[in-house]
Amino acid sequence: MHRKTLFPTGIQASWGSDMDTISAAGLGTIREALSQLRATLETSPLGAELIDSQGRVIFANQAYFRIFRCPPQRADGMPWIKRYPGDCRLAAEEQWLNAKLGRPVGGIQIEHRQDGVPRPIRFHMDRLKLPDFPTLWIRYSEDLSEATVDQPTQTGRESETFDFLADQLPILVWRTDTNHHCDYVNSYWREFTGANPESHLGWGWMDFLHPEDRQSLKSAIESGSQEDMEYRLRRHDGVYRWFTDRSRPLTNERGETTGHIGVCLDVTESVEQRETSRRRKRQLLAMVHHCPGVAIQWFDRTGTIQLWNEAAEQLFGFTAEEAIGRTFGELIHTPEEFQHLLQTLSQIEKTGQSVGPAEYHFRRRDGTRGTCLSTIFLIPSAVGAPTFCCMDVDITERKTTELALQESESKFRTLAENFPDAVFVLDPSIPEVPLKIQFANRAVESIHGYRPEELIGQSLAKMLDHPQTAACVPDRVAQIQEGKVIRFDATHIHRDGHLIPMSVTAGVIPWDGKRMIVGINRDMTLQRNAEEAAREGDARFRSAFYSSAMGMAIVGIDGRFLDANTSLCRMLGYSLEELKKLGFPAITHPDDVQRDLASIPRMIRGEIPYYSTEKRYRAKEGHSVPVQLTVALVRSSDGQPAYFVSQMLDLTEKKRLEQELITNQRLSIMRQMASGISHDFNNLLTVILGYCETLLERPDTTEPQRNLILPIRESGNHASRMIRQLIAFSRRQPLLIERIDLNAAIRRTELMLRGILRGRVGVELKLADNLPNILADPVQIDQILINLAVNARDAMPEGGGFLVQTETVVSSGKTSETAPPSITGTKEETWVRLRVSDTGQGIPPDVLPHIFEPFYTTKGEGKGHGLGLSVVHGIVTQCGGTIRVASEPGQGCLFEIDLPAAVSSTASQRWEAP
C-alpha cells in the first residue's frame, strides 16, 4: 500500500519535503550528509530507523525509542529483522526483500515492544534516492494506539477518515460520548463478537463483557480510572479473551472533553502465562515454607534475607517478619562468620557451583550456639541481581554427642576394663596395619583366647577378623569416620581356630588426641545357639502345622484367627485372609459358642491345661461341619497368655457312617416287617382272587354283576403285584424283568394316576413316538409313577398341573456302572428318558439333598413314611438308570429319569432278576 493512502496529510508532510531535497553536493561529505539526515529524522513525530544495505540499523530517532521502549544500543548495527520474534520474522523478511527490490512496503501490523507488550503499528519503508550516496532505507513506525486516542473529536470528512482507518486495524477500536455511551466500534470488533453494530451502541457493548468484570469496569468508567484495565470479552464462539483497555479523552478546539476513544489489546496469553507463573511461584513458596526439618533462606549477595521459612524460624528462633530485610550478620553469625559467608557467595557467583554440605556455626535468638549442615547455591534468574538459597539441617545434638564422647575419654578406660564384652580401640589411619589395636580390655582373653598385651599393636582385621568380615572393613571405616555409629554382625577367629559370632557396635572416639574407632564386641555364641534351637523347634511346629491332614489354627486371646493351615481352610471353605478377619464365635454354631467361652477363662487362669469338645462350625457355604476340637494355651516367656493352638478333626464322614448304620438298621427292621406283612396279605389276596374267579365262572352271574367283579379282580391283581414289590423290598422274592413299552405302561396307569391326583390336578401326557423298549419290572414302573404322583398331589393342595413326558436320548460315552449284568442287548449310548413334573410348591434347597434318603420326610405325623422316593431311587438304580431332580421353592418340581434302552432284537422277553 502506498504511503499517501496510509498516512494523513499532516503526518506525511513531516518527512516529505525535507528528505527529497537532500543531495551530496549540497552537504559536502557523506558524514555531514548523515549528520543532517539524522537531525532531520529527530524532528519527525514518527519512529524512524535508518537501515543500510546489509539490513543493519545504523540510526534510530527518539520517537522510535519511545514507541518500542528499547535501549539506544538498538541502533548500533543490530540487524533490523532480529527484533521480530519467530512467528513474525517471515513477514519481516518478506518486507525487506520487497524493499530491496524497490516495491512499495507499508501497512498495519501488531509488533511487540522491548517489554513484550503488543502494539498496533502503522509502518512504511522508503529508499533514499540520492546521487553519490550509499544505499539506505528509512522505516517509519507509528503507534496507532497513541495516534488514535490523541486525535481531537472529528466530524464530517475527518470522522469518516478516522472510521476508515480504524476499520483497517487488526485490533478492537471503540469510541464513546461524554456519558460513556458507545457510538462506534470498528469492523474488527464486530468480527470478534459476531454481532451487528447496533448491539454495541450505548451500554450494549457491556453485554459482551464477562459477568464478573461488568460492575468493576462500569465503576472504573464512572470514576475515570479505567486506563490500562484488564477485562474479558466474549468472542463469537462463546470463548472469553482477556484484553487491556487503553483510552484517551477526545477534546474539541476549545479543549473541552467530547468523549473517549480507545483500543483493546488481546493479552490472553500474557494473562495466562502470568497466572501460571504466579501459581507456580505460590506452589514453590508453599513447598519452601512447609519443608519439614530443613531451614531454607533466600538472600542477595550482601546477605540480606528475602525469604525465611517455618523451619528457619524453629531453628534460629527469629520469625520471618523479624528476619526478612536484615542480614545474617545481624541475626545468627559473628562478624568473622558473616565475612566468610560473603566470600563464599562471591565464589558461588563466579563459578556457579554450589557449596556444601558443610558445617556452620550459628547463634540463636536466645543467645545459644548451634551447628548446622548447610548447602548454599545460586538460584537461576534471567534478570536482576543474583539470589542465593541456603538449606540448613540442625546437627547440634549430634555435635553435642560427639563432644560428650570426647569428654568421657578419661572415664572410658575404667569402664572398658570392667565391661563383659570385648572392647577395642582401633587406629584406622595406618594402611599397612588396618585397624591397629591401641586398647583391648580383659574380656578379650575369655572371648578370643588372647591376653590384651598380645594384641596391642596388631591388626584386628588380620589377626581376629574372618576374611569375609575383613573384606567389609574399608566401607565400615568410611561410615564411622563420617560420624556415624554403626551396628553389624561379624565373625572373629578364636586363638584355637574356632569361629565366634559377634555383634559389633562401632563409632568414633577421641583417643590420645586423635579420632579413633571404638568397637564393642559381644559374643553371640549362646544366643545364636538358642535362636537356632528356637528356629528348629519353630520349623518342626510349622511343618506339622501346615502339613497336617487335621484342621489346625492359631487363635489370639481375643478369639481372632492369627493363622490356619490348608486343611482347616478346605474344611470350612474360607481362605486364610477371610479367616483372619473373623473370630471363632463368627464361625461357630450358636448353640456351641457358650461351651468355648466357659472353657477359655479356665485355661487362662491355669485351672486346666487344655480342653476337648465336640462342636459344630458353620462353613462359608452355610452348612454345619461337626468337629472334635482340642484347644491348648501357649504362654509367653514371662508367663502371660500369648495365643491358643486349636486342632479340629472333621467328623463329617464319621457322622455319615453313623447315620448310614442307623438307616441300615431301620431298613433291616422294615424288611422283616414287610416280609411278615406281605405273607399275610398274600394269603388274603389269594382268597379274594379265588372267589372272584369262581363268581366269574358261574353261569348264573349276570352282566352287571360281572362289571362289579372285574374291577375287584383287577385291584386284587394290582395288589398282588404290590405285594411282590414289597417282598422284593424285603429281599424275599426276585423281580420279574420284562421288555416293556414305557409309553404303554404310562397309558395303563393313567386312570390310576388321575384317581390319585383327583380332579383338582390336570394330568397331561406327552409321549414320544417310536420310543425304544426298556428292561424293567412293570410293577416297578407303576410304583415309580404312583410314588411321584402321590408326592405331586401333596405338593399341590390347591390344584395344579402334572406332566409326564418321554423321549429318546442318544449320548455316546454315558454308561451305568450299576446296570445288572444279566441284562443283555442294551446299548449304553441309547437311553429312554422319563420326565415327570408338577407345578407345586417346590422343594427347599436344604431339603433337596436328602429326598432320596430312606425314612426322610417333611410331612406331618401319619402323612408319610419317607420310603416313596427312596424306593423310586432304588428301582431306577436296579434298572441301571439315573435319576435327577430340579426344583426351587414356588417353582414346582421336575424328576428326570434315564433308563437304558433294550435295542437288541435277541434279548429275552421275560426273566427274573436276582
Side-chain angles (χ1 to χ4, degrees):
M1 183 181 293
H2 196 272
R3 74 182 183 188
K4 288 183 180 180
T5 65
L6 193 62
F7 292 90
T9 304
I11 299 176
Q12 176 187 345
S14 66
W15 74 76
S17 58
D18 292 337
M19 300 309 301
D20 289 342
T21 58
I22 296 177
S23 66
L27 294 173
T29 65
I30 292 177
R31 179 174 297 177
E32 292 172 348
L34 286 174
S35 177
Q36 183 176 350
L37 177 61
R38 290 171 178 169
T40 302
L41 293 176
E42 285 291 1
T43 64
S44 173
L46 305 177
E49 300 170 89
L50 196 59
I51 304 171
D52 66 10
S53 60
Q54 301 300 317
R56 295 172 298 189
V57 179
I58 61 175
F59 171 76
N61 67 356
Q62 292 301 315
Y64 172 84
F65 296 137
R66 176 181 55 79
I67 292 171
F68 291 101
R69 304 289 198 272
C70 57
Q73 290 83 354
R74 179 67 185 80
D76 291 347
M78 179 183 293
W80 164 70
I81 293 177
K82 274 195 174 181
R83 76 179 175 90
Y84 293 94
D87 54 349
C88 298
R89 186 164 294 176
L90 290 176
E93 290 175 348
E94 183 178 358
Q95 294 171 19
W96 177 237
L97 177 61
N98 289 333
K100 290 195 294 184
L101 295 175
R103 298 171 181 168
V105 176
I108 297 174
Q109 64 186 19
I110 298 296
E111 298 186 14
H112 291 77
R113 297 191 320 204
Q114 181 74 14
D115 57 7
V117 175
R119 311 295 284 183
I121 299 297
R122 179 164 52 194
F123 66 93
H124 184 82
M125 185 175 287
D126 276 334
R127 179 176 181 177
L128 288 177
K129 301 177 182 178
L130 302 176
D132 303 324
F133 201 82
T135 302
L136 296 174
W137 282 265
I138 299 178
R139 189 180 191 275
Y140 298 97
S141 302
E142 179 184 11
D143 188 342
L144 293 180
S145 62
E146 296 178 355
T148 302
V149 299
D150 288 341
Q151 292 187 57
T153 303
Q154 301 173 0
T155 60
R157 180 176 175 278
E158 292 181 346
S159 177
E160 294 177 359
T161 302
F162 165 78
D163 292 352
F164 171 75
L165 292 175
D167 282 338
Q168 310 306 311
L169 296 177
I171 58 175
L172 308 184
V173 181
W174 53 267
R175 184 176 64 219
T176 63
D177 59 17
T178 54
N179 294 320
H180 302 289
H181 291 169
C182 179
D183 59 12
Y184 169 78
V185 292
N186 70 340
S187 61
Y188 190 76
W189 185 302
R190 298 192 296 273
E191 292 175 5
F192 179 83
T193 62
N196 57 56
E198 289 75 15
S199 61
H200 301 82
L201 302 182
W203 287 103
W205 65 281
M206 295 285 286
D207 293 338
F208 297 95
L209 265 67
H210 193 283
E212 297 175 0
D213 301 335
R214 291 175 187 170
Q215 186 57 43
S216 58
L217 180 60
K218 193 169 184 179
S219 300
I221 291 174
E222 292 173 352
S223 62
S225 59
Q226 76 271 22
E227 174 63 17
D228 290 341
M229 186 172 181
E230 290 183 352
Y231 52 81
R232 288 162 286 183
L233 287 175
R234 186 179 70 248
R235 203 165 57 188
H236 58 82
D237 57 1
V239 176
Y240 284 93
R241 302 281 295 179
W242 280 97
F243 287 87
T244 295
D245 188 296
R246 302 187 183 278
S247 62
R248 294 292 185 275
L250 289 172
T251 58
N252 57 20
E253 59 275 4
R254 294 186 301 276
E256 299 170 340
T257 299
T258 61
H260 288 79
I261 188 170
V263 296
C264 300
L265 303 179
D266 191 334
V267 293
T268 302
E269 285 73 17
S270 299
V271 170
E272 291 175 349
Q273 292 174 1
R274 184 174 65 215
E275 183 58 31
T276 299
S277 177
R278 289 175 181 171
R279 183 173 63 255
R280 291 176 178 173
K281 186 174 181 180
R282 287 195 300 269
Q283 293 171 346
L284 174 61
L285 291 176
M287 292 172 57
V288 169
H289 278 297
H290 302 292
C291 184
V294 181
I296 300 176
Q297 313 99 49
W298 291 359
F299 47 92
D300 60 17
R301 61 163 65 96
T302 66
T304 301
I305 298 166
Q306 301 172 350
L307 180 142
W308 188 269
N309 75 342
E310 293 177 0
E313 293 181 350
Q314 297 171 2
L315 178 60
F316 302 115
F318 295 94
T319 66
E321 291 76 11
E322 294 171 327
I324 293 175
R326 301 171 67 182
T327 67
F328 287 98
E330 299 176 78
L331 299 178
I332 63 174
H333 287 325
T334 64
E336 294 78 11
E337 292 169 346
F338 185 60
Q339 286 301 317
H340 178 68
L341 173 63
L342 295 180
Q343 293 172 4
T344 302
L345 299 182
S346 177
Q347 174 188 349
I348 294 174
E349 188 173 0
K350 289 178 182 177
T351 63
Q353 300 295 320
S354 62
V355 172
E359 292 183 6
Y360 285 88
H361 300 290
F362 62 88
R363 178 182 63 245
R364 298 186 182 90
R365 181 175 182 171
D366 60 6
T368 59
R369 301 283 294 177
T371 306
C372 61
L373 200 61
S374 301
T375 300
I376 306 175
F377 55 89
L378 185 65
I379 299 177
S381 177
V383 294
T387 300
F388 298 88
C389 177
C390 179
M391 303 176 70
D392 299 321
V393 177
D394 189 5
I395 60 170
T396 304
E397 186 175 349
R398 193 184 80 187
K399 298 299 294 183
T400 302
T401 302
E402 292 176 357
L403 290 174
L405 288 173
Q406 294 174 4
E407 293 173 358
S408 65
E409 179 179 351
S410 60
K411 302 177 182 179
F412 175 79
R413 291 177 180 268
T414 302
L415 293 174
E417 287 292 351
N418 297 281
F419 209 67
D421 297 329
V423 179
F424 297 97
V425 175
L426 309 170
D427 186 351
S429 62
I430 307 174
E432 56 272 16
V433 187
L435 299 182
K436 182 178 180 181
I437 300 173
Q438 300 291 332
F439 170 82
N441 70 345
R442 289 193 295 266
V444 300
E445 185 171 359
S446 60
I447 295 175
H448 295 85
Y450 295 96
R451 297 192 304 275
E453 55 270 20
E454 293 181 280
L455 296 175
I456 300 299
Q458 302 296 322
S459 167
L460 182 142
K462 293 181 178 180
M463 193 166 185
L464 298 180
D465 277 346
H466 187 274
Q468 291 182 349
T469 301
C472 302
V473 165
D475 291 339
R476 289 170 177 159
V477 168
Q479 294 180 58
I480 295 170
Q481 289 179 332
E482 292 175 0
K484 299 178 180 178
V485 176
I486 63 173
R487 294 175 177 82
F488 58 92
D489 292 334
T491 302
H492 286 183
I493 303 174
H494 192 273
R495 186 168 195 161
D496 61 12
H498 76 267
L499 301 181
I500 312 170
M502 307 295 293
S503 177
V504 182
T505 301
V508 174
I509 186 175
W511 190 269
D512 293 337
K514 296 175 62 178
R515 284 170 55 89
M516 294 195 185
I517 296 175
V518 59
I520 301 174
N521 301 257
R522 175 164 295 180
D523 186 353
M524 302 296 291
T525 302
L526 295 178
Q527 183 174 337
R528 296 290 168 81
N529 291 341
E531 290 175 353
E532 183 64 27
R535 279 195 296 269
E536 291 179 358
D538 184 64
R540 286 193 296 270
F541 171 77
R542 289 184 175 276
S543 176
F545 182 86
Y546 291 112
S547 61
S548 174
M550 182 186 301
M552 296 185 69
I554 297 177
V555 183
I557 300 300
D558 60 354
R560 300 184 69 84
F561 285 94
L562 305 178
D563 199 359
N565 67 353
T566 305
S567 297
L568 180 60
C569 294
R570 184 168 53 248
M571 181 192 307
L572 301 179
Y574 290 98
S575 66
L576 178 58
E577 290 71 21
E578 291 172 330
L579 279 178
K580 286 184 176 180
K581 297 176 182 178
L582 301 172
F584 78 86
I587 63 170
T588 300
H589 193 282
D591 296 341
D592 299 341
V593 173
Q594 193 57 41
R595 205 178 317 156
D596 284 323
L597 296 179
S599 300
I600 288 174
R602 297 184 61 199
M603 279 199 304
I604 293 177
R605 292 193 299 267
E607 297 176 5
I608 54 175
Y610 67 91
Y611 76 91
S612 181
T613 183
E614 185 174 315
K615 65 181 292 187
R616 291 163 293 176
Y617 281 125
R618 290 186 299 185
K620 184 177 181 181
E621 296 180 354
H623 64 275
S624 294
V625 180
V627 300
Q628 181 66 40
L629 172 67
T630 301
V631 181
L633 175 63
V634 178
R635 298 182 181 271
S636 61
S637 57
D638 58 358
Q640 295 300 315
Y643 54 85
F644 299 102
V645 176
S646 301
Q647 301 181 41
M648 301 83 164
L649 177 63
D650 190 351
L651 300 179
T652 303
E653 183 64 17
K654 177 184 175 184
K655 296 291 184 181
R656 187 187 67 80
L657 293 175
E658 290 176 352
Q659 186 61 38
E660 284 186 2
L661 178 59
I662 293 172
T663 301
N664 290 335
Q665 289 174 346
R666 292 172 65 185
L667 284 174
S668 177
I669 294 171
M670 289 297 296
R671 289 191 181 100
Q672 292 176 12
M673 292 174 60
S675 177
I677 293 172
S678 299
H679 178 75
D680 294 337
F681 271 94
N682 201 32
N683 291 336
L684 295 174
L685 287 174
T686 301
V687 174
I688 294 171
L689 292 174
Y691 278 111
C692 286
E693 292 296 334
T694 300
L695 291 174
L696 289 173
E697 291 177 358
R698 289 180 59 172
D700 58 345
T701 302
T702 65
E703 190 63 29
Q705 291 174 338
R706 294 178 64 84
N707 292 336
L708 293 175
I709 296 170
L710 286 173
I712 295 174
R713 187 181 66 174
E714 180 63 26
S715 296
N717 289 331
H718 183 72
S720 179
R721 291 195 294 270
M722 294 289 290
I723 290 299
R724 290 204 307 273
Q725 181 67 26
L726 195 57
I727 294 173
F729 175 74
S730 64
R731 309 295 186 185
R732 301 297 297 272
Q733 178 175 319
L735 301 178
L736 298 178
I737 302 300
E738 300 179 9
R739 180 189 296 273
I740 63 175
D741 182 348
L742 181 59
N743 287 346
I746 293 171
R747 293 189 184 97
R748 184 177 64 249
T749 60
E750 180 181 0
L751 184 61
M752 189 181 302
L753 295 178
R754 292 184 184 275
I756 292 172
L757 295 169
R758 304 184 183 92
R760 294 174 300 171
V761 178
V763 178
E764 183 181 0
L765 305 181
K766 292 185 178 181
L767 309 180
D769 296 333
N770 301 320
L771 193 70
N773 290 336
I774 61 172
L775 295 176
D777 188 327
V779 176
Q780 287 186 327
I781 299 302
D782 294 347
Q783 190 72 18
I784 290 174
L785 294 170
I786 291 170
N787 283 342
L788 295 180
V790 170
N791 280 352
R793 179 197 63 196
D794 295 340
M796 297 182 289
E798 303 300 327
F802 184 77
L803 174 64
V804 181
Q805 300 172 274
T806 59
E807 62 179 330
T808 303
V809 178
V810 177
S811 176
S812 59
K814 181 174 181 180
T815 62
S816 175
E817 298 178 356
T818 61
S822 60
I823 298 179
T824 59
T826 300
K827 295 183 64 176
E828 293 178 345
E829 64 272 8
T830 303
W831 298 77
V832 175
R833 178 166 294 171
L834 171 64
R835 295 164 59 92
V836 180
S837 60
D838 63 64
T839 60
Q841 300 169 352
I843 303 175
D846 58 329
V847 174
L848 200 61
H850 306 288
I851 61 174
F852 294 120
E853 295 178 4
F855 306 106
Y856 182 85
T857 179
T858 58
K859 301 175 184 178
E861 184 70 24
K863 295 183 180 180
H865 48 68
L867 278 174
L869 292 179
S870 175
V871 170
V872 170
H873 185 274
I875 293 171
V876 172
T877 303
Q878 280 186 321
C879 293
T882 60
I883 181 170
R884 296 175 297 280
V885 60
S887 179
E888 292 184 8
Q891 302 297 320
C893 184
L894 167 65
F895 287 90
E896 193 172 78
I897 299 170
D898 288 345
L899 299 171
V903 297
S904 173
S905 60
T906 61
S908 302
Q909 295 298 316
R910 182 182 180 92
W911 64 89
E912 293 184 354

